[in-house]
Amino acid sequence: MWFQQITIPWLVWEISGSPLLVGIAAGSRSIPFLVIGPMAGVLADRIDRRKMVLVVQSVMAVVVLSFAAAIHMGYVVGNLGVIYALVFSVITGILHASIQPVRHAMVANTVPREDLWNAIALNSIAGNVARVVGPGLGGVLIAWLGPALNFYIEGVFYILMVLVMIPISLPFREAVTATRTSVLANLKQGFGYVVNEQVVLRLMLLACVSDIMIAPLVHLMPVVAEVVLGGDSRTYGFLVLATGVGGIIATISFASLGRSVMGGGVGLVALMFLAGSAIVLGISTWMWVSLAAMFGIGFFRLVFKINNNTLVQTTIPDGLRGRVMSIYNLDNGLTPLASMTLGLMAEFWPVNLVVLVVGIVSLALAIFAFASFSDVRRMK
């Protein structure tokens, strides 16, 4: 996924030289999450989750390898090449949006409830290692052997993932009941559950502070690195790396400590420290302070996300898990829109002021939640 996310913008830039088309190409993959995601959650609750992932991953491998071959044979060039790249981004976005809620639900179906915390933490480690390693390795491979190789590698790994999935069973999935009503009724039931179940709704609102306000700040780091810190691409690389390292240390630490140390109150405190780290980043003009702030953002965001995800997963019934998690994952479509908003703000305000304002607003919301959401604060 990270290979694709860095290779598509580079490919479109090489073909078109248009920053607008680069932005469209980067964002086009995220739009399907807003449209397809909730319906994918319905499917996850109606059909065999494992088989759905096997089918979609197989289709993904075919699509990616076909695009790699098209690049390799010289078809992805000129204006038509840009169209090919955009269509490819949308198709893969649809496929990813189709299985992401399913994969989240499957984590809870593979382990007993008492081990769910550890499973979610370990699952987060994989994502953070990929976030640190993927962009750097993908960039090296582009420079060394060209973009087609990245897509060939991506396609091969999708095939390997299918092979790994074949022997997996889901012993902790409950009996399917969603098929007793229509698809539309299922969709309405999922949204109705989230709206009416107060503690789940509050957990999702808290996730918005982390995923829609704080997470998009990473897309401002090139500007922070150059304008605020007076650095270059290496400065930007170190800032992003610090976030990834913080996330990895958080996930490894809390996967080891176990679920007994966490709960709703700890998640709320982590959210306040996350916002505080953003405030420090907005104030800082020193490289080492900014690196520490980015480490804090990576660390406390993952502590919050693991905690929040576990609380949601252990609260919702398995029959609604796919639908609820698809709503929980709508941030995949909303975060790029938030990034565009912050980028627009940075056109008119100093970028460090934008970061500071986001941090202050996030901290105010986190403090309000800690004071008001007593049901979340008491969760174990």
Side-chain angles (χ1 to χ4, degrees):
M1 185 188 73
W2 281 104
F3 272 22
Q4 179 177 325
Q5 287 198 31
I6 68 153
T7 308
I8 283 289
W10 184 91
L11 182 64
V12 172
W13 173 254
E14 285 292 300
I15 295 172
S16 67
S18 168
L20 175 62
L21 289 175
V22 171
I24 293 173
S28 59
R29 182 181 174 278
S30 302
I31 301 302
F33 281 91
L34 296 176
V35 182
I36 304 294
M39 190 56 65
V42 172
L43 289 176
D45 289 336
R46 292 179 68 92
I47 65 176
D48 188 309
R49 291 168 180 167
R50 174 179 160 276
K51 289 181 179 178
M52 183 176 175
V53 173
L54 286 172
V55 170
V56 174
Q57 291 286 170
S58 300
V59 174
M60 190 92 73
V62 173
V63 170
V64 172
L65 290 174
S66 298
F67 188 65
I71 297 172
H72 186 74
M73 292 185 288
Y75 292 121
V76 186
V77 293
N79 292 333
L80 194 59
V82 174
I83 295 174
Y84 285 154
L86 292 176
V87 171
F88 171 76
S89 292
V90 171
I91 292 174
T92 53
I94 291 171
L95 293 171
H96 275 290
S98 298
I99 62 169
Q100 187 167 47
V102 188
R103 291 169 63 183
H104 278 282
M106 286 176 62
V107 173
N109 294 154
T110 56
V111 296
R113 182 186 176 92
E114 61 269 18
D115 292 330
L116 183 57
W117 162 269
N118 191 262
I120 291 174
L122 292 172
N123 196 39
S124 298
I125 290 175
N128 280 279
V129 170
R131 184 177 286 109
V132 173
V133 175
L137 180 58
V140 170
L141 291 174
I142 290 174
W144 184 26
L145 295 171
L149 179 65
N150 281 3
F151 293 110
Y152 279 126
I153 293 173
E154 184 184 1
V156 168
F157 271 94
Y158 285 141
I159 294 172
L160 293 176
M161 186 172 177
V162 169
L163 297 176
V164 168
M165 286 291 298
I166 290 174
I168 288 179
S169 63
L170 304 179
F172 298 96
R173 182 175 187 183
E174 297 175 4
V176 176
T177 59
T179 52
R180 297 172 184 172
T181 55
S182 68
V183 170
L184 186 60
N186 290 162
L187 187 63
K188 183 179 179 181
Q189 186 183 16
F191 279 99
Y193 176 84
V194 171
V195 171
N196 295 319
E197 194 69 26
Q198 179 175 274
V199 70
V200 174
L201 179 61
R202 287 179 168 180
L203 289 171
M204 290 195 175
L205 291 175
L206 291 172
C208 290
V209 178
S210 168
D211 296 337
I212 299 177
M213 298 191 68
I214 302 292
L217 291 178
V218 72
H219 297 118
L220 294 178
M221 287 308 101
V223 187
V224 170
E226 183 175 337
V227 176
V228 178
L229 300 178
D232 52 19
S233 59
R234 289 179 298 176
T235 307
Y236 166 61
F238 282 125
L239 290 172
V240 175
L241 180 64
T243 309
V245 171
I248 291 173
I249 291 176
T251 50
I252 292 175
S253 300
F254 287 98
S256 303
L257 290 173
R259 63 190 175 95
S260 60
V261 300
M262 299 299 283
V266 175
L268 288 166
V269 171
L271 190 61
M272 287 189 283
F273 274 100
L274 173 61
S277 299
I279 292 173
V280 172
L281 180 66
I283 296 173
S284 171
T285 55
W286 295 349
M287 177 65 176
W288 288 108
V289 175
S290 297
L291 285 174
M294 290 297 286
F295 177 90
I297 287 175
F299 184 90
F300 292 113
R301 182 165 180 259
L302 262 294
V303 171
F304 169 79
K305 281 181 69 69
I306 294 169
N307 184 80
N308 211 57
N309 194 342
T310 305
L311 293 177
V312 170
Q313 291 261 35
T314 52
T315 301
I316 59 179
D318 191 61
L320 286 166
R321 194 178 302 279
R323 281 165 282 179
V324 174
M325 294 311 296
S326 69
I327 298 171
Y328 189 77
N329 287 311
L330 285 177
D331 64 281
N332 287 281
L334 295 172
T335 299
L337 300 179
S339 298
M340 292 171 59
T341 302
L342 292 183
L344 183 62
M345 291 172 63
E347 287 285 334
F348 301 99
W349 294 359
V351 67
N352 54 332
L353 179 59
V354 174
V355 175
L356 180 61
V357 168
V358 169
I360 291 173
V361 173
S362 299
L363 181 59
L365 292 172
I367 292 173
F368 172 80
F370 188 87
S372 303
F373 294 176
S374 58
D375 50 353
V376 173
R377 198 170 61 242
R378 292 193 300 265
M379 292 183 77
K380 298 294 182 181

